[in-house]
Amino acid sequence: MSYNSGNSGGWRNDGAMQPHAYDPDLHLHPELFRGVATRRVFAFLIDMVVISVPVILGYVFIALFGVVTLGIGWALFWIAWPASVIWAIVYYGASIGGASSATVGMRLMDLELRTWYGAPGYFVLGATHAVLFWVTVSFLSPFVVLVGLFNGRRRLLHDFVLGTVVINNSVRIPAPQAARTW
């Protein structure tokens, strides 16, 4: 099914593709993409700090707990890495799935993630975005970033796969909203 951005505001199931809500090739609102690539880098660095602080505190707690329990508490180190991965996935999913469709770093850099048809992000999209980013960076590191330099929307490789676009929040045009289930 695809989202109908017409006057009815409902869903349709006729198989028609929706036009891109944010299309710089049509010269509609190119300001949405000015400086996005650079600000995405800084947003990523801010998010790494936000993710790292609780992880580091967790490792320090486990180390001190191990000293207090004469080494028995150090057995918790085996769950620290999986807990760090789960924390990062939940952070990205909850942030992108939140009201602002952006992580803390993206909000500070005035960016937000949208689907290609203009709907805001949701939890599964945010979590998948993070996982796919780390997988593609692990295997195709320079290629992932280079893709963003050669397209009008400044989309990275994982953005193409997921059908997302990162835009400047302050100049965003109204776009159709996805149905929320809460």
Side-chain angles (χ1 to χ4, degrees), residues 3-5 21-22 114 117-120 174-178:
Y3 190 78
N4 180 6
S5 60
Y22 309 109
R114 290 288 173 155
Y117 53 88
Q177 299 290 314

Side-chain angles (χ1 to χ4, degrees), residues 68-136:
V68 171
T69 60
L70 302 173
I72 295 172
W74 290 331
L76 294 175
F77 275 123
W78 72 271
I79 66 166
W81 186 82
S84 301
V85 171
I86 291 169
W87 157 240
I89 291 171
V90 167
Y91 168 76
Y92 275 99
S95 297
I96 291 175
S100 62
S101 289
T103 62
V104 171
M106 291 169 70
R107 279 182 252 154
L108 289 173
M109 293 290 112
D110 197 31
L111 298 171
E112 73 175 303
L113 183 126
R114 290 288 173 155
T115 62
W116 63 271
Y117 53 88
Y122 46 92
F123 183 87
V124 174
L125 180 65
T128 307
H129 196 267
V131 169
L132 195 56
F133 170 75
W134 287 109
V135 168
T136 56

Side-chain angles (χ1 to χ4, degrees), residues 19-97:
H20 288 281
Y22 309 109
D23 198 350
D25 297 331
L26 298 176
H27 303 292
L28 299 173
H29 309 289
E31 64 275 5
L32 288 171
F33 305 99
R34 285 199 188 107
V36 167
T38 304
R39 291 188 306 167
R40 277 185 91 166
V41 171
F42 288 109
F44 171 76
L45 295 174
I46 292 168
D47 288 331
M48 287 303 94
V49 170
V50 170
I51 290 171
S52 298
V53 168
V55 170
I56 291 168
L57 291 175
Y59 275 98
V60 169
F61 171 78
I62 292 171
L64 294 175
F65 185 65
V67 170
V68 171
T69 60
L70 302 173
I72 295 172
W74 290 331
L76 294 175
F77 275 123
W78 72 271
I79 66 166
W81 186 82
S84 301
V85 171
I86 291 169
W87 157 240
I89 291 171
V90 167
Y91 168 76
Y92 275 99
S95 297
I96 291 175

